[in-house]
Amino acid sequence: MIKWKDEYSLGVDIIDEQHRKLFEIAGRAYDVLKDQFSIDKYDDIIAIIDELKDYAVYHFETEEEYMQSIGYRKFLSHKVMHDDFIQNINKIDLRQVDENPEKHLLEVLDFIIKWIDGHILGQDKNYVM
Ligand SMILES: [Fe+2]
């Protein structure tokens, strides 16, 4: 499973701490996915999606405040990406999760991994350079 590495560190403590939390949520999603003994994963999956939503809003606020505090020039285009993320999580139709929980869990994992690999290593690195 995806593990924290030094290269993910931006050197801004509060943001690194929050990114680690994202790894934690990804780890939990992975555990639920590979748990063969759990028959009904619906509640676990909904809990993970809910947590991810709350966390994303909270974390992006922190990042956006930080970017503004250092006068980051590409703040607006970065914020657009954050808003897209939130929109994508909100697009998950919770009623459909019950019909195919594993498929949705995979989607959530895929989403978090893209966030970690694409966004943190790509865009987030830019505002600390
Ligand atoms: Fe970001």
Side-chain angles (χ1 to χ4, degrees):
M1 189 47 210
I2 188 147
K3 287 221 170 65
W4 178 269
K5 287 180 276 185
D6 278 348
E7 65 175 305
Y8 293 114
S9 174
L10 301 182
V12 182
D13 286 349
I14 185 169
I15 291 171
D16 286 338
E17 220 172 90
Q18 291 181 3
H19 282 159
R20 279 175 193 266
K21 168 93 173 153
L22 194 59
F23 281 74
E24 206 186 292
I25 300 175
R28 230 171 314 135
Y30 185 67
D31 287 344
V32 172
L33 190 68
K34 67 172 193 205
D35 183 355
Q36 296 168 354
F37 299 105
S38 157
I39 300 157
D40 190 356
K41 299 182 177 180
Y42 179 78
D43 288 345
D44 287 333
I45 297 171
I46 296 293
I48 288 170
I49 294 173
D50 272 348
E51 193 182 353
L52 193 61
K53 271 187 199 172
D54 289 347
Y55 172 75
V57 172
Y58 166 72
H59 168 63
F60 289 156
E61 269 172 22
T62 307
E63 260 191 7
E64 286 161 17
E65 266 170 38
Y66 177 76
M67 284 188 281
Q68 282 185 307
S69 78
I70 58 168
Y72 183 52
R73 276 190 312 120
K74 293 180 184 159
F75 169 76
L76 275 180
S77 61
H78 197 122
K79 188 179 182 333
V80 168
M81 283 182 266
H82 286 172
D83 294 346
D84 276 354
F85 268 115
I86 305 272
Q87 242 181 30
N88 280 328
I89 315 178
N90 285 334
K91 258 195 245 158
I92 300 174
D93 185 348
L94 297 185
R95 286 164 306 178
Q96 281 181 11
V97 173
D98 208 17
E99 285 159 29
N100 198 343
E102 306 262 327
K103 177 180 157 254
H104 281 87
L105 194 54
L106 264 176
E107 264 174 36
V108 170
L109 254 180
D110 186 57
F111 175 83
I112 302 178
I113 287 166
K114 273 190 194 130
W115 182 348
I116 289 171
D117 262 6
H119 189 75
I120 297 179
L121 289 181
Q123 284 82 34
D124 285 349
K125 283 258 165 180
N126 288 335
Y127 67 69
V128 289
M129 286 208 299

